[in-house]
Amino acid sequence: DIVLTQSPGTLSLSPGERATLSCRASQSVGGRYLAWYQQKPGQAPRLLIYDTSTRATGIPDRFGGSGSGTDFTLTIIRLEPEDFAVYYCQHYGSSTTFGQGTKVEIK
Amino acid sequence: QHQFQESGPGLVKPSETLSLTCVVSGGYITISDYYWAWIRQSPGKGLEWIGSIHYGGSTSYNPSLKSRLTISVDTSRNHFSVKLNSVTAADTAVYYCARQRKFYDYLTGYSPAYFDSWGQGTLVTVSS
């Protein structure tokens, strides 16, 4: 199975700054089958991005996804107060696995 | 828009069977475009996909849980269920049910994809 490694574990930033989150796969992810989720404390995860770069319904355009092969990135171009949360990547296709998460915290 | 409500015992004894049901409202479970999935999250930890089922009966299970796992669907009651037997403390987690998009890949055929709608989750504790 593909193992997803997210980095950094924690990202300390201020509102208005740019956040860049990495998700690296142990082998190539065919077909760009990668999604990103946001999870706030006490809540279920929420789908942000699927197919590497397609925003889910209702997701603001400050969220963007990119990448291919084994390296994928979630970018939040200007952090809003409500964006401080934990973010997970997920591979799908031949199997389904999640990364371990990146926490974006207020600096 | 589908909505989900997980239900089942919040406390299960070690070696027994964990059973949860997800009642789907706001739409039928017999929509071909979706799988119906279970995901869990141990306290303070990340997400772990448990398994998925299509209303037609095809299933996909996490290999690490497959030997203990059964996921079923009841289209007449618009719900799906998970049973995990021989549980240990390591199975203590918040269990989420979710809708999972179906997609087609020319190499693998139809497969479950990303999770686009989630229940609020239910905590199951394994303890004597």
Side-chain angles (χ1 to χ4, degrees):
Chain A
D1 283 356
I2 293 177
V3 175
L4 300 178
T5 301
Q6 293 187 240
S7 62
T10 301
L11 199 52
S12 299
L13 295 168
S14 300
E17 289 193 295
R18 181 187 189 99
T20 302
L21 287 68
S22 172
C23 178
R24 178 162 291 179
S26 58
Q27 56 187 282
S28 182
V29 172
R32 294 165 56 84
Y33 298 142
L34 192 104
W36 290 92
Y37 301 84
Q38 176 194 69
Q39 187 178 34
K40 297 180 181 178
Q43 296 184 17
R46 175 176 72 145
L47 177 68
L48 298 176
I49 301 282
Y50 62 92
D51 292 352
T52 297
S53 59
T54 303
R55 278 188 299 276
T57 303
I59 300 303
D61 59 7
R62 65 179 181 273
F63 291 91
S66 62
S68 65
T70 60
D71 291 307
F72 297 84
T73 300
L74 174 69
T75 302
I76 312 170
I77 56 174
R78 283 179 311 275
L79 281 165
E80 297 287 342
E82 62 267 28
D83 299 337
F84 291 91
V86 180
Y87 292 84
Y88 294 95
C89 58
Q90 177 225 345
H91 155 68
Y92 48 94
S94 55
S95 63
T96 298
T97 53
F98 288 94
Q100 83 280 16
T102 290
K103 181 179 182 180
V104 179
E105 66 176 21
I106 299 176
K107 187 174 182 180
Chain B
Q1 177 75 324
H2 294 99
Q3 297 175 342
F4 309 91
Q5 182 63 58
E6 301 96 343
S7 64
L11 181 64
V12 181
K13 290 183 168 55
S15 80
E16 295 190 345
T17 296
L18 180 159
S19 295
L20 296 172
T21 293
C22 181
V23 176
V24 181
S25 59
Y28 292 109
I29 205 168
T30 51
I31 295 179
S32 180
D33 292 342
Y34 299 108
Y35 283 79
W36 307 95
W38 291 95
I39 303 104
R40 69 182 183 180
Q41 186 169 35
S42 299
K45 300 292 179 61
L47 301 166
E48 180 182 27
W49 169 68
I50 297 170
S52 308
I53 189 165
H54 190 263
Y55 86 90
S58 65
T59 55
S60 182
Y61 290 166
N62 185 324
S64 69
L65 299 171
K66 188 174 183 176
S67 63
R68 301 192 289 131
L69 184 62
T70 302
I71 296 178
S72 59
V73 64
D74 186 333
T75 56
S76 65
R77 297 184 179 185
N78 222 46
H79 74 213
F80 60 107
S81 302
V82 60
K83 291 185 188 297
L84 184 66
N85 59 35
S86 304
V87 297
T88 69
D91 295 308
T92 293
V94 174
Y95 285 75
Y96 295 100
C97 60
R99 188 178 74 180
Q100 190 175 16
R101 193 79 185 182
K102 186 176 79 168
F103 82 110
Y104 180 82
D105 178 86
Y106 74 99
L107 286 176
T108 59
Y110 286 106
S111 297
Y114 50 88
F115 307 96
D116 65 356
S117 188
W118 297 63
Q120 83 277 13
T122 187
L123 174 63
V124 179
T125 301
V126 178
S127 175
S128 55

